Amino acid sequence: MNWDAIGVVSEVVGAIAVVVSIIYLAVQISSNTKTMRANAGFEATHSWANSNEIFSQFSDDHLMTIVRTFDSTASWDDFSEVERVRISLSFRALFQKLEACVTAGSLC
């Protein structure tokens, strides 16, 4: 066996090693993507569960204030200053959760 043949064999072995490593990398990236999606889904569900838990702990007055905001006949002027702050903070928190879902690429 001469040096040219050894060089050709080593190049073939190197090329096979590169292809195998690229395939391995593709499998690992795919696995990581599935894991990240599952984690994002869990985090989104957990975030909504926390939101629901917080809403369930509102006082009756606060909860009814939130419900009244969905009344089509309600006007912003119908709410007291304290109610406006509560409504603003509640919806701000909700929108921030949605923004986090969109940023994470999750379908909350």
Side-chain angles (χ1 to χ4, degrees):
M1 196 175 217
N2 61 20
W3 288 107
D4 289 335
I6 293 173
V8 169
V9 170
S10 63
E11 285 182 15
V12 169
V13 169
I16 291 171
V18 167
V19 170
V20 168
S21 66
I22 289 174
I23 291 171
Y24 175 77
L25 181 62
V27 169
Q28 290 300 312
I29 289 173
S30 175
S31 175
N32 185 48
T33 301
K34 289 177 186 175
T35 302
M36 294 300 288
R37 282 187 183 156
N39 189 35
F42 171 79
E43 290 296 327
T45 302
H46 191 264
S47 177
W48 279 112
N50 285 340
S51 297
N52 290 332
E53 185 176 12
I54 290 168
F55 280 123
S56 73
Q57 294 173 357
F58 282 168
S59 67
D60 291 345
D61 292 338
H62 189 177
L63 190 57
M64 288 312 297
T65 300
I66 298 296
V67 170
R68 281 185 21 226
T69 61
F70 293 102
D71 182 2
S72 62
T73 62
S75 169
W76 189 244
D77 297 328
D78 295 341
F79 298 100
S80 70
E81 191 172 329
V82 172
E83 289 175 328
R84 290 178 192 171
V85 170
R86 285 184 176 161
I87 292 167
S88 297
L89 291 175
S90 297
F91 284 113
R92 181 178 180 186
L94 183 62
F95 289 133
Q96 286 173 331
K97 287 184 183 298
L98 291 172
E99 181 182 29
C101 292
V102 170
T103 303
S106 173
L107 298 175
C108 297

